Amino acid sequence: MADEIGFDDFMKVDIRTGTIVEVRPFPEARKPAHIMLIDFGDELGVKKSSAQITVHYNADDLVGRQVMAVVNFPPRQIGPLKSEVLTLGFADENGDIVLAATDKKVPNGQRLM
């Protein structure tokens, strides 16, 4: 378990819902990955993210799927891509990533509470 934090620390991490609107291949990535364009609604717009989720998800399965992402980290350069948000997931028993998502659709851009 990580060190205990206060509620104010938690509130510094801005986790929002978004819908994947486009998925592209990322052949330059060291490990197999997808480039995703995720719509976070009017306030944040569409952001790019790279994710190593190719074991459980192909591009066609991802479009239209709602995901959760940290939207207030600084952009991260991943090879030729500037990833603007960190898409969230959990490792399965083999270490492959399963996306974190709500169990019902919510408006894009909603913040995790």
Side-chain angles (χ1 to χ4, degrees):
M1 187 166 100
D3 292 339
E4 187 175 284
I5 62 170
F7 185 74
D8 290 340
D9 294 318
F10 169 73
M11 290 304 293
K12 291 177 186 177
V13 181
D14 194 354
I15 299 172
R16 305 278 183 122
T17 58
T19 299
I20 300 170
V21 294
E22 185 178 334
V23 179
R24 302 176 187 159
F26 193 9
E28 302 89 354
R30 281 185 274 147
K31 294 181 179 179
H34 295 298
I35 296 171
M36 300 177 294
L37 298 179
I38 305 170
D39 181 2
F40 290 97
D42 292 339
E43 181 183 352
L44 297 173
V46 176
K47 303 286 185 185
K48 277 188 256 180
S49 182
S50 171
Q52 297 172 356
I53 56 173
T54 58
V55 170
H56 292 297
Y57 308 97
N58 66 48
D60 293 335
D61 294 334
L62 289 168
V63 174
R65 182 183 204 74
Q66 196 166 54
V67 295
M68 298 167 61
V70 176
V71 299
N72 66 331
F73 284 150
R76 183 172 175 208
Q77 194 71 40
I78 303 172
L81 174 76
K82 188 171 281 196
S83 186
E84 300 173 291
V85 299
L86 176 65
T87 305
L88 300 175
F90 298 93
D92 68 11
E93 62 277 354
N94 297 314
D96 300 313
I97 302 302
V98 176
L99 291 169
T102 61
D103 67 346
K104 294 188 178 17
K105 291 277 186 184
V106 297
N108 287 337
Q110 289 298 303
R111 185 171 183 169
L112 178 69
M113 306 304 272

